[in-house]
Amino acid sequence: AQKVTQAQTEISVVEKEDVTLDCVYETRDTTYYLFWYKQPPSGELVFLIRRNSFDEQNEISGRYSWNFQKSTSSFNFTITASQVVDSAVYFCALSSYKLIFGSGTRLLVRP
Amino acid sequence: NAGVTQTPKFQVLKTGQSMTLQCAQDMNHNSMYWYRQDPGMGLRLIYYSASEGTTDKGEVPNGYNVSRLNKREFSLRLESAAPSQTSVYFCASSEALTGGANTGELFFGEGSRLTVL
């Protein structure tokens, strides 16, 4: 069975703080993909990143970085120097043949 | 530049009524999906269609039916709506499943907010 756990329901930070969103997954598949999506207050879902199970290299994109560790089945997302525009719900997702989402973490960045 | 288009965007139903949510994509994707989003539950997969002519159950298929009318269109039907089906519904599409793995980014529609009284 597949499962994605985002234990942090809601996080509140002050602008310019760094924040890490946790994601832990379960799967028996050896080939799988991990994703992060952002859902701003407007409601649409925005793709942020995809990683495959064979690539544990961390990735950085501007203020965003992702840490994938197969040993702990985690795929954590860090926002450096957070901004108010980062306020959104962030979803981690796991895919082998079906894309399964975690319950999401609501991030509130206060000015 | 349409991407994934869902209709209607809002709908209010009475218990027992039926309705169909329509979804169309113009990206020539083979795979299409229906998710529902409820507070604190994230997105849960209702049904998906790996390719034209095939459909499969997701995590929460009860009370729903789907039709993959052609490559572009994937509809979701509620035969007898219940208050528990009050939710926001998202349609999505992606490139073909490869080797059993969904490798592609999902492109989502804007969502359809359904209220069942």
Side-chain angles (χ1 to χ4, degrees), chain B residues 90-109:
Chain B
F90 285 94
C91 178
S93 70
S94 73
E95 294 174 4
L97 300 180
T98 304
N102 183 337
T103 62
E105 169 191 351
L106 258 65
F107 293 81
F108 285 88

Side-chain angles (χ1 to χ4, degrees), chain A residues 17-78:
Chain A
E17 283 186 28
D18 298 347
V19 58
T20 296
L21 310 181
D22 298 332
C23 174
V24 175
Y25 64 92
E26 295 176 30
T27 181
R28 293 179 182 175
D29 296 321
T30 55
T31 300
Y32 55 89
Y33 289 76
L34 295 162
F35 301 77
W36 276 94
Y37 282 82
K38 174 182 180 179
Q39 187 176 41
S42 52
E44 75 273 22
L45 284 144
V46 179
F47 167 81
L48 295 178
I49 190 172
R50 174 187 65 212
R51 303 298 283 174
N52 73 54
S53 51
F54 300 108
D55 182 3
E56 287 191 71
Q57 199 169 18
N58 292 331
E59 181 157 339
I60 298 174
S61 176
R63 295 183 297 107
Y64 294 171
S65 62
W66 290 269
N67 181 270
F68 175 27
Q69 293 193 350
K70 285 180 77 170
S71 61
T72 56
S73 296
S74 65
F75 185 44
N76 296 337
F77 173 30
T78 297

